[in-house]
Amino acid sequence: MMKEGQKRHKIQRKEGGNKKKSGMGGKGREGSSHGGGKEQEGGLRKRLDAMSVGYFRRVSERLGESFAEEEEKAMFVENVLTEVKGQAILVATDVTGSVTLQRLLPLASVTQVGEMLAELGGSTGSDFKRVSCDQCGGHVMESALRQMPRWKEQSRPEGEQETIASEDGDTGDVNCGILEAQVLCLSQVVTEEVVGFIRHTHGSHVARTLIHVLGGCLGPAQSDTRPGGKTRNVSTSLSDFDVPSSFPVALKKLSLALMENVNVCVTDMAATTVLQTMLTVCHRKRPKLCKRLLKGIVGYLTSLSSAPGVSPLLVFMKDQGSSRLIETVLQLSHKALLCNLYKNHFKGQLVNLALHPIANFPVQRLITASASYKLFLKVFDELEEGLEAILAAGHMGVVVQLAESCVLQEERQREMLQCLLEAFHCAEPPSRHVSCLPLFLSLLTHEVYYGEQMHSDAADTMRPLWGMCYHGSCLVQALAKCKNNSFLMNSLHALSPANLLTLGTDPSGSHVLQALLISASDKGRGKILRKLEGQFVKLSCSKYGSRVLEAVWKSATLGQRQAMAQELVSSESVLRSDQFARHVWAKFALTHFVKRRAQWQEVQNGQSKKRKMFSDILES
């Protein structure tokens, strides 16, 4: 007999004819022994009936609400899973059912997730491929796999777990039972039918999640759980977790299966992403295995035939799918492999590759990967000759990567800046150096930006700023990190107050002003802040300008903070009423500045001293 407390956590079907009550979608639905699917025309696929869809929609809505107690949540999850039992594949491959299960599984226990996977895979795991390659079912499989980091949670009574561990003679791992077994079963199925999984749009995503789980590192889940929904830009950072001792063996078997079909992985877009995932995970968790995989991939690519005198690797670098795999290979390669690739395949070809619409992306990875080695000097010297052509082609990623890598290799910083001055036609006469900042920001040559007519330096710097762009901003931010950025600072000092305001309130320019002010000395920063006097309120009321002020405030001296605060408090009503400036008012503690000046100075002085102390420690 069902307890009264359990009934309160049931979601009843809303049906006119059948008044029989049942839990979580109800047993005894008409037309089906398990809650009824509808045969699609032609008998190709079963679908949930309208009543079941309505039930799972209500369950999904309830899962979006909070539970008062953990016991209530556990009872709710158990009741829903009871109703799903026996029809898990049907529910998982339905749009509404899939979304519901994706929300439910993170709330289920480790054992319940394992039981769900067991039903989805069938007695032998033969159904795993069918569910994984389904548009809706694949998302459920991924959601179930993503529960593996919880595998050490107690899934049995504590005493029973200790007995099992003692009988097995293994005291190192907590037994996670059915979930571990089902993940290993899925891994075996994927390994045996690897081509079918990795070439399928949805199956490849399940294979990639499986690789992350076997390796013990997961990224953030997609925020949009609707099957077919657009993937949003999310952070690619991975979180590590311990895995059972059986997982590294399964990961190695799967990696060998991928290498046996490396010809597919190189040519197929979906399969390529799976191999890239394997490389990334192994580089993080199994470095020796990663080196073997990298060697095998490069060996296969370079063994293929191509035109006489042309490395086959160069052909793959110009292919949209293969080039991404080569990007990953270059990004993860160790020093010896990088040097070998450059010497035998890339040497003398970098400028041509950098000018290619696809191959320029692997070139960017090569620049980044070589930045820590002397190899970068050879890469830089080769690309330096074609820098203006690369700029003309609009492949700014190559140029920005060169600038960022020069931060690590100081001996090429001067050459990089000189190349840019020449490319933007402001190297000669030297009086044009002062115009470099607007030119770099807009990615326009001196003649295009200022016109063909010759102007005086003063006239140039007083002209309104225009044409600032994202890649130009990235370039200047990279150059600002160089040891000697006096050219940029001189150009910044030459700008008029109106142009400084334009720079600070522009989506791209604001990042540049922030970077230059933070990297400047206290004296240099003070000169710019004095030039901005009278503009602080306008900066505060700008979405981007307010962020510049907040960043500069952290590195400003006490005197600079006082000058900024004195101007801002004179427009208190404006700042307090503006959606952006009110945050500036709060973060600068301007109310205290007005009412308790001495206390404000004491706090700000302490923060300033602390900042200087840490700065001295980092520089020493």
Side-chain angles (χ1 to χ4, degrees):
M1 182 176 179
M2 189 180 298
K3 295 181 180 180
E4 189 66 22
Q6 289 178 310
K7 290 183 179 180
R8 289 187 286 108
H9 306 295
K10 296 282 185 176
I11 291 181
Q12 304 296 343
R13 289 185 297 116
K14 295 182 179 179
E15 185 180 11
N18 187 357
K19 299 294 183 181
K20 181 177 179 180
K21 292 183 178 181
S22 63
M24 299 303 180
K27 301 286 183 182
R29 293 190 181 96
E30 295 179 2
S32 174
S33 59
H34 285 301
K38 285 185 179 179
E39 287 282 351
Q40 199 175 14
E41 290 186 11
L44 296 177
R45 177 178 179 178
K46 287 185 176 182
R47 295 188 181 279
L48 290 175
D49 56 35
M51 182 185 66
S52 302
V53 169
Y55 161 71
F56 283 111
R57 186 176 291 116
R58 294 194 298 277
V59 171
S60 183
E61 291 172 354
R62 178 66 185 91
L63 289 171
E65 304 170 0
S66 59
F67 291 89
E69 299 176 356
E70 285 296 317
E71 183 180 358
E72 178 186 0
K73 180 176 70 175
M75 189 179 299
F76 183 88
V77 172
E78 183 179 356
N79 288 336
V80 177
L81 291 175
T82 300
E83 294 301 326
V84 173
K85 192 172 183 180
Q87 55 174 342
I89 294 180
L90 181 61
V91 176
T93 54
D94 177 84
V95 174
T96 304
S98 172
V99 172
T100 302
L101 290 180
Q102 290 174 63
R103 292 182 174 180
L104 187 72
L105 289 173
L107 305 180
S109 68
V110 171
T111 300
Q112 289 171 330
V113 175
E115 291 171 350
M116 172 66 70
L117 277 175
E119 187 173 346
L120 291 175
S123 58
T124 62
S126 57
D127 288 330
F128 274 140
K129 184 178 179 182
R130 175 160 66 100
V131 178
S132 298
C133 294
D134 180 85
Q135 182 181 12
C136 301
H139 289 276
V140 175
M141 290 294 296
E142 288 187 72
S143 182
L145 287 170
R146 294 185 66 85
Q147 309 314 311
M148 196 61 208
R150 301 190 285 123
W151 71 280
K152 286 191 175 182
E153 291 181 1
Q154 298 288 334
S155 57
R156 298 184 180 86
E158 186 175 353
E160 184 179 345
Q161 279 193 330
E162 290 176 355
T163 302
I164 293 174
S166 177
E167 289 175 356
D168 292 344
D170 180 10
T171 58
D173 288 338
V174 179
N175 193 318
C176 64
I178 188 170
L179 180 56
E180 177 186 1
Q182 290 305 312
V183 173
L184 289 173
C185 181
L186 172 62
S187 178
Q188 183 177 352
V189 172
V190 175
T191 301
E192 293 174 353
E193 302 183 54
V194 65
V195 175
F197 271 88
I198 65 177
R199 295 191 68 178
H200 193 279
T201 302
H202 306 297
S204 63
H205 280 83
V206 174
R208 289 160 63 183
T209 304
L210 174 64
I211 290 170
H212 278 293
V213 168
L214 293 176
C217 55
L218 270 177
Q222 293 183 9
S223 57
D224 188 355
T225 56
R226 296 175 185 172
K230 292 182 179 179
T231 303
R232 300 180 182 179
N233 291 326
V234 295
S235 173
T236 56
S237 59
L238 300 176
S239 300
D240 297 321
F241 62 93
D242 294 332
V243 296
S245 57
S246 56
F247 278 20
V249 177
L251 181 67
K252 185 176 181 180
K253 289 181 179 178
L254 182 53
S255 69
L256 294 177
L258 289 174
M259 290 306 299
E260 289 174 1
N261 296 277
V262 67
N263 58 322
V264 177
C265 295
V266 168
T267 56
D268 185 89
M269 288 289 287
T272 295
T273 60
V274 179
L275 185 54
Q276 290 176 60
T277 300
M278 178 65 77
L279 288 173
T280 303
V281 171
C282 288
H283 181 263
R284 185 181 183 93
K285 309 292 288 191
R286 303 286 305 279
K288 291 184 179 180
L289 178 58
C290 180
K291 284 187 177 182
R292 289 177 55 188
L293 294 176
L294 291 171
K295 184 178 180 181
I297 293 169
V298 172
Y300 171 77
L301 292 175
T302 55
S303 67
L304 301 177
S305 59
S306 61
V310 178
S311 168
L313 204 59
L314 304 183
V315 178
F316 284 106
M317 288 183 73
K318 299 176 181 179
D319 177 77
Q320 189 170 4
S322 304
S323 66
R324 296 190 178 185
L325 176 61
I326 295 176
E327 282 187 60
T328 304
V329 169
L330 291 171
Q331 186 177 357
L332 305 180
S333 291
H334 50 282
K335 180 180 178 181
L337 182 57
L338 277 177
C339 292
N340 176 63
L341 288 171
Y342 174 76
K343 180 181 178 180
N344 298 319
H345 304 281
F346 301 149
K347 189 176 182 180
Q349 300 293 330
L350 289 184
V351 174
N352 290 333
L353 292 172
L355 293 173
H356 192 273
I358 295 175
N360 78 90
F361 293 102
V363 171
Q364 294 178 40
R365 300 290 83 77
L366 174 64
I367 295 169
T368 305
S370 64
S372 301
Y373 311 119
K374 292 296 182 182
L375 173 63
F376 172 75
L377 304 181
K378 298 179 180 178
V379 172
F380 178 89
D381 292 341
E382 187 172 334
L383 288 170
E384 177 186 10
E385 299 176 2
L387 189 64
E388 189 166 356
I390 297 170
L391 281 167
H395 297 165
M396 283 304 302
V398 177
V399 181
V400 172
Q401 288 297 331
L402 274 176
E404 290 183 347
S405 297
C406 282
V407 176
L408 298 177
Q409 296 285 351
E410 294 185 8
E411 54 263 53
R412 289 296 184 270
Q413 290 179 9
R414 183 178 294 275
E415 288 90 333
M416 181 67 193
L417 183 58
Q418 185 62 32
C419 285
L420 289 173
L421 292 175
E422 293 174 0
F424 285 93
H425 302 173
C426 58
E428 296 293 339
S431 58
R432 286 191 177 186
H433 292 174
V434 76
S435 64
C436 67
L437 181 57
L439 301 182
F440 293 169
L441 276 171
S442 60
L443 299 180
L444 298 173
T445 62
H446 191 277
E447 293 79 11
V448 175
Y449 191 89
Y450 292 111
E452 293 292 341
Q453 297 179 357
M454 297 300 292
H455 299 281
S456 65
D457 299 338
D460 285 352
T461 56
M462 294 302 290
R463 285 192 170 199
L465 286 178
W466 63 280
M468 290 178 283
C469 63
Y470 169 77
H471 283 107
S473 175
C474 292
L475 175 61
V476 177
Q477 290 179 67
L479 295 173
K481 299 175 186 175
C482 292
K483 189 173 182 180
N484 184 1
N485 59 5
S486 57
F487 281 93
L488 294 176
M489 292 305 302
N490 291 337
S491 185
L492 180 66
H493 288 307
L495 294 180
S496 66
N499 279 340
L500 287 174
L501 179 62
T502 302
L503 185 65
T505 55
D506 183 83
S508 298
S510 60
H511 294 284
V512 168
L513 181 59
Q514 178 178 320
L516 290 174
L517 284 174
I518 291 175
S519 63
S521 63
D522 290 343
K523 183 179 179 181
R525 188 186 309 110
K527 289 176 66 175
I528 299 298
L529 291 177
R530 283 193 296 274
K531 212 167 188 178
L532 280 170
E533 288 178 359
Q535 310 284 3
F536 291 139
V537 175
K538 292 180 180 179
L539 284 170
S540 299
C541 294
S542 163
K543 177 181 179 180
Y544 304 103
S546 60
R547 294 174 182 172
V548 172
L549 283 184
E550 291 175 18
V552 172
W553 184 270
K554 295 178 182 179
S555 57
T557 63
L558 178 59
Q560 292 166 356
R561 290 185 180 184
Q562 284 179 317
M564 294 168 66
Q566 190 66 53
E567 180 179 331
L568 291 172
V569 296
S570 62
S571 302
E572 179 177 354
S573 59
V574 176
L575 268 63
R576 284 182 174 274
S577 61
D578 185 84
Q579 61 175 327
F580 304 116
R582 64 186 181 185
H583 297 293
V584 172
W585 182 276
K587 291 182 179 180
F588 292 4
L590 296 182
T591 300
H592 286 251
F593 180 81
V594 174
K595 297 181 178 180
R596 294 181 287 275
R597 181 74 60 90
Q599 183 181 355
W600 182 91
Q601 288 180 342
E602 184 179 347
V603 172
Q604 299 300 324
N605 190 41
Q607 292 178 355
S608 181
K609 287 182 178 179
K610 186 182 296 185
R611 175 188 62 81
K612 189 176 186 306
M613 179 183 69
F614 282 113
S615 178
D616 292 341
I617 293 174
L618 292 174
E619 292 176 358
S620 61

PDB file of all heavy atoms in Angstrom, residues 295-313:
ATOM      1  N   LYS A 295      52.636  10.865 -32.807  1.00  0.00           N
ATOM      2  CA  LYS A 295      53.612  10.258 -33.715  1.00  0.00           C
ATOM      3  C   LYS A 295      52.909   9.441 -34.790  1.00  0.00           C
ATOM      4  O   LYS A 295      53.276   9.487 -35.980  1.00  0.00           O
ATOM      5  CB  LYS A 295      54.581   9.373 -32.922  1.00  0.00           C
ATOM      6  CG  LYS A 295      55.691   8.759 -33.758  1.00  0.00           C
ATOM      7  CD  LYS A 295      56.636   7.932 -32.905  1.00  0.00           C
ATOM      8  CE  LYS A 295      57.742   7.311 -33.744  1.00  0.00           C
ATOM      9  NZ  LYS A 295      58.650   6.478 -32.914  1.00  0.00           N
ATOM     10  N   GLY A 296      51.877   8.703 -34.377  1.00  0.00           N
ATOM     11  CA  GLY A 296      51.145   7.883 -35.342  1.00  0.00           C
ATOM     12  C   GLY A 296      50.397   8.726 -36.365  1.00  0.00           C
ATOM     13  O   GLY A 296      50.367   8.399 -37.560  1.00  0.00           O
ATOM     14  N   ILE A 297      49.777   9.816 -35.915  1.00  0.00           N
ATOM     15  CA  ILE A 297      49.022  10.679 -36.830  1.00  0.00           C
ATOM     16  C   ILE A 297      49.953  11.343 -37.835  1.00  0.00           C
ATOM     17  O   ILE A 297      49.685  11.349 -39.041  1.00  0.00           O
ATOM     18  CB  ILE A 297      48.243  11.747 -36.035  1.00  0.00           C
ATOM     19  CG1 ILE A 297      47.143  11.081 -35.197  1.00  0.00           C
ATOM     20  CG2 ILE A 297      47.633  12.784 -36.965  1.00  0.00           C
ATOM     21  CD1 ILE A 297      46.494  12.001 -34.193  1.00  0.00           C
ATOM     22  N   VAL A 298      51.047  11.911 -37.338  1.00  0.00           N
ATOM     23  CA  VAL A 298      52.007  12.565 -38.232  1.00  0.00           C
ATOM     24  C   VAL A 298      52.610  11.542 -39.192  1.00  0.00           C
ATOM     25  O   VAL A 298      52.783  11.824 -40.388  1.00  0.00           O
ATOM     26  CB  VAL A 298      53.112  13.265 -37.419  1.00  0.00           C
ATOM     27  CG1 VAL A 298      54.217  13.771 -38.337  1.00  0.00           C
ATOM     28  CG2 VAL A 298      52.529  14.418 -36.619  1.00  0.00           C
ATOM     29  N   GLY A 299      52.905  10.363 -38.682  1.00  0.00           N
ATOM     30  CA  GLY A 299      53.463   9.313 -39.543  1.00  0.00           C
ATOM     31  C   GLY A 299      52.512   8.943 -40.664  1.00  0.00           C
ATOM     32  O   GLY A 299      52.946   8.749 -41.817  1.00  0.00           O
ATOM     33  N   TYR A 300      51.227   8.853 -40.358  1.00  0.00           N
ATOM     34  CA  TYR A 300      50.253   8.511 -41.402  1.00  0.00           C
ATOM     35  C   TYR A 300      50.122   9.640 -42.418  1.00  0.00           C
ATOM     36  O   TYR A 300      50.159   9.406 -43.634  1.00  0.00           O
ATOM     37  CB  TYR A 300      48.890   8.230 -40.764  1.00  0.00           C
ATOM     38  CG  TYR A 300      47.781   8.071 -41.780  1.00  0.00           C
ATOM     39  CD1 TYR A 300      47.656   6.895 -42.504  1.00  0.00           C
ATOM     40  CD2 TYR A 300      46.909   9.117 -42.048  1.00  0.00           C
ATOM     41  CE1 TYR A 300      46.662   6.745 -43.472  1.00  0.00           C
ATOM     42  CE2 TYR A 300      45.910   8.990 -42.997  1.00  0.00           C
ATOM     43  CZ  TYR A 300      45.792   7.802 -43.715  1.00  0.00           C
ATOM     44  OH  TYR A 300      44.809   7.665 -44.663  1.00  0.00           O
ATOM     45  N   LEU A 301      50.003  10.867 -41.940  1.00  0.00           N
ATOM     46  CA  LEU A 301      49.810  12.000 -42.845  1.00  0.00           C
ATOM     47  C   LEU A 301      50.997  12.188 -43.786  1.00  0.00           C
ATOM     48  O   LEU A 301      50.834  12.493 -44.967  1.00  0.00           O
ATOM     49  CB  LEU A 301      49.579  13.286 -42.041  1.00  0.00           C
ATOM     50  CG  LEU A 301      48.266  13.385 -41.255  1.00  0.00           C
ATOM     51  CD1 LEU A 301      48.241  14.659 -40.420  1.00  0.00           C
ATOM     52  CD2 LEU A 301      47.066  13.353 -42.192  1.00  0.00           C
ATOM     53  N   THR A 302      52.193  12.004 -43.267  1.00  0.00           N
ATOM     54  CA  THR A 302      53.395  12.229 -44.084  1.00  0.00           C
ATOM     55  C   THR A 302      53.729  11.038 -44.978  1.00  0.00           C
ATOM     56  O   THR A 302      54.591  11.152 -45.857  1.00  0.00           O
ATOM     57  CB  THR A 302      54.601  12.528 -43.181  1.00  0.00           C
ATOM     58  OG1 THR A 302      54.765  11.467 -42.216  1.00  0.00           O
ATOM     59  CG2 THR A 302      54.405  13.838 -42.435  1.00  0.00           C
ATOM     60  N   SER A 303      53.057   9.920 -44.766  1.00  0.00           N
ATOM     61  CA  SER A 303      53.347   8.728 -45.574  1.00  0.00           C
ATOM     62  C   SER A 303      52.545   8.706 -46.871  1.00  0.00           C
ATOM     63  O   SER A 303      52.839   7.909 -47.770  1.00  0.00           O
ATOM     64  CB  SER A 303      53.030   7.460 -44.779  1.00  0.00           C
ATOM     65  OG  SER A 303      51.622   7.347 -44.543  1.00  0.00           O
ATOM     66  N   LEU A 304      51.528   9.557 -46.960  1.00  0.00           N
ATOM     67  CA  LEU A 304      50.676   9.563 -48.142  1.00  0.00           C
ATOM     68  C   LEU A 304      51.379  10.238 -49.306  1.00  0.00           C
ATOM     69  O   LEU A 304      52.232  11.101 -49.128  1.00  0.00           O
ATOM     70  CB  LEU A 304      49.355  10.273 -47.833  1.00  0.00           C
ATOM     71  CG  LEU A 304      48.531   9.649 -46.694  1.00  0.00           C
ATOM     72  CD1 LEU A 304      47.290  10.477 -46.428  1.00  0.00           C
ATOM     73  CD2 LEU A 304      48.138   8.214 -47.033  1.00  0.00           C
ATOM     74  N   SER A 305      50.985   9.846 -50.496  1.00  0.00           N
ATOM     75  CA  SER A 305      51.627  10.390 -51.697  1.00  0.00           C
ATOM     76  C   SER A 305      51.092  11.785 -52.002  1.00  0.00           C
ATOM     77  O   SER A 305      49.957  12.123 -51.672  1.00  0.00           O
ATOM     78  CB  SER A 305      51.356   9.469 -52.898  1.00  0.00           C
ATOM     79  OG  SER A 305      49.958   9.350 -53.113  1.00  0.00           O
ATOM     80  N   SER A 306      51.926  12.596 -52.610  1.00  0.00           N
ATOM     81  CA  SER A 306      51.530  13.945 -53.013  1.00  0.00           C
ATOM     82  C   SER A 306      52.343  14.327 -54.236  1.00  0.00           C
ATOM     83  O   SER A 306      53.087  13.516 -54.795  1.00  0.00           O
ATOM     84  CB  SER A 306      51.778  14.932 -51.873  1.00  0.00           C
ATOM     85  OG  SER A 306      53.145  14.976 -51.535  1.00  0.00           O
ATOM     86  N   ALA A 307      52.209  15.559 -54.645  1.00  0.00           N
ATOM     87  CA  ALA A 307      52.970  16.011 -55.807  1.00  0.00           C
ATOM     88  C   ALA A 307      54.464  15.957 -55.496  1.00  0.00           C
ATOM     89  O   ALA A 307      54.875  16.150 -54.349  1.00  0.00           O
ATOM     90  CB  ALA A 307      52.551  17.439 -56.165  1.00  0.00           C
ATOM     91  N   PRO A 308      55.279  15.702 -56.494  1.00  0.00           N
ATOM     92  CA  PRO A 308      56.735  15.631 -56.258  1.00  0.00           C
ATOM     93  C   PRO A 308      57.273  16.914 -55.633  1.00  0.00           C
ATOM     94  O   PRO A 308      56.977  18.014 -56.094  1.00  0.00           O
ATOM     95  CB  PRO A 308      57.297  15.437 -57.678  1.00  0.00           C
ATOM     96  CG  PRO A 308      56.181  14.828 -58.450  1.00  0.00           C
ATOM     97  CD  PRO A 308      54.924  15.417 -57.894  1.00  0.00           C
ATOM     98  N   GLY A 309      58.046  16.746 -54.570  1.00  0.00           N
ATOM     99  CA  GLY A 309      58.657  17.884 -53.901  1.00  0.00           C
ATOM    100  C   GLY A 309      57.739  18.634 -52.959  1.00  0.00           C
ATOM    101  O   GLY A 309      58.152  19.644 -52.387  1.00  0.00           O
ATOM    102  N   VAL A 310      56.506  18.160 -52.802  1.00  0.00           N
ATOM    103  CA  VAL A 310      55.545  18.816 -51.914  1.00  0.00           C
ATOM    104  C   VAL A 310      55.184  17.864 -50.784  1.00  0.00           C
ATOM    105  O   VAL A 310      54.799  16.723 -51.028  1.00  0.00           O
ATOM    106  CB  VAL A 310      54.260  19.232 -52.671  1.00  0.00           C
ATOM    107  CG1 VAL A 310      53.257  19.860 -51.716  1.00  0.00           C
ATOM    108  CG2 VAL A 310      54.599  20.186 -53.801  1.00  0.00           C
ATOM    109  N   SER A 311      55.318  18.327 -49.557  1.00  0.00           N
ATOM    110  CA  SER A 311      54.971  17.487 -48.414  1.00  0.00           C
ATOM    111  C   SER A 311      53.465  17.251 -48.372  1.00  0.00           C
ATOM    112  O   SER A 311      52.684  18.197 -48.544  1.00  0.00           O
ATOM    113  CB  SER A 311      55.422  18.165 -47.112  1.00  0.00           C
ATOM    114  OG  SER A 311      54.860  17.509 -45.991  1.00  0.00           O
ATOM    115  N   PRO A 312      53.022  16.006 -48.174  1.00  0.00           N
ATOM    116  CA  PRO A 312      51.579  15.749 -48.076  1.00  0.00           C
ATOM    117  C   PRO A 312      50.936  16.495 -46.913  1.00  0.00           C
ATOM    118  O   PRO A 312      49.739  16.768 -46.926  1.00  0.00           O
ATOM    119  CB  PRO A 312      51.507  14.231 -47.869  1.00  0.00           C
ATOM    120  CG  PRO A 312      52.862  13.840 -47.378  1.00  0.00           C
ATOM    121  CD  PRO A 312      53.816  14.788 -48.008  1.00  0.00           C
ATOM    122  N   LEU A 313      51.733  16.846 -45.919  1.00  0.00           N
ATOM    123  CA  LEU A 313      51.200  17.574 -44.776  1.00  0.00           C
ATOM    124  C   LEU A 313      50.673  18.943 -45.199  1.00  0.00           C
ATOM    125  O   LEU A 313      49.682  19.435 -44.641  1.00  0.00           O
ATOM    126  CB  LEU A 313      52.289  17.737 -43.712  1.00  0.00           C
ATOM    127  CG  LEU A 313      51.821  17.951 -42.266  1.00  0.00           C
ATOM    128  CD1 LEU A 313      50.967  16.801 -41.796  1.00  0.00           C
ATOM    129  CD2 LEU A 313      53.026  18.116 -41.356  1.00  0.00           C
TER     130      LEU A 313
END
